[in-house]
Amino acid sequence: MHAKLEDDWIQELVDGTKSAFKNMNPGNVFYSEGVDDVHGKKVGYLEFKSPGMDGFLYQIMYFFEFEGRTGMGTFSCPYKEYADWKDVAFRIIRELAVIQEKEGEETI
């Protein structure tokens, strides 16, 4: 049985994921990482460049807790286009909202 993820463990998840990605491919270049408060929820992220089939990729991975489990998302584009997309990708991540329904309520 796995322990439930808690907001306070997000930084550990970021650190562990970064370490695993470094071990899997030492060619990954990490630019930034951290944990931000997004609408009262901790969201961890990694920003990095990785080698791909047709050249380098710019990537952002982000993590958050959802009902005790890990929610995760990614953004990726050709590295040569990262300047056009970096701010847009981070704005989207900073607009995430986790909405928890009360038991028995319906949503529309």
Side-chain angles (χ1 to χ4, degrees):
M1 177 146 195
H2 298 283
K4 286 188 164 191
L5 181 66
E6 296 179 18
D7 267 355
D8 292 339
W9 300 346
I10 297 295
Q11 183 64 59
E12 291 178 44
L13 181 59
V14 169
D15 294 342
T17 302
K18 180 179 178 181
S19 179
F21 272 63
K22 279 184 171 182
N23 289 335
M24 285 190 313
N25 190 342
N28 290 331
V29 177
F30 290 86
Y31 297 115
S32 70
E33 64 189 74
V35 176
D36 290 340
D37 185 274
V38 178
H39 302 288
K41 198 83 180 144
K42 290 186 179 181
V43 177
Y45 66 90
L46 294 169
E47 175 191 22
F48 60 101
K49 176 173 81 170
S50 64
M53 294 288 287
D54 296 326
F56 286 100
L57 297 172
Y58 172 76
Q59 300 197 64
I60 301 171
M61 295 184 73
Y62 57 95
F63 315 92
F64 54 93
E65 177 277 332
F66 179 70
E67 296 182 354
R69 296 183 178 187
T70 303
M72 184 182 122
T74 60
F75 171 82
S76 181
C77 71
Y79 184 75
K80 63 185 176 188
E81 296 176 16
Y82 93 92
D84 297 331
W85 289 104
K86 177 181 176 174
D87 290 341
V88 173
F90 273 108
R91 278 194 308 232
I92 292 168
I93 293 167
R94 291 188 175 108
E95 289 298 321
L96 288 174
V98 175
I99 301 170
Q100 297 195 357
E101 299 175 12
K102 293 180 182 174
E103 196 168 317
E105 281 190 13
E106 293 183 31
T107 58
I108 298 175

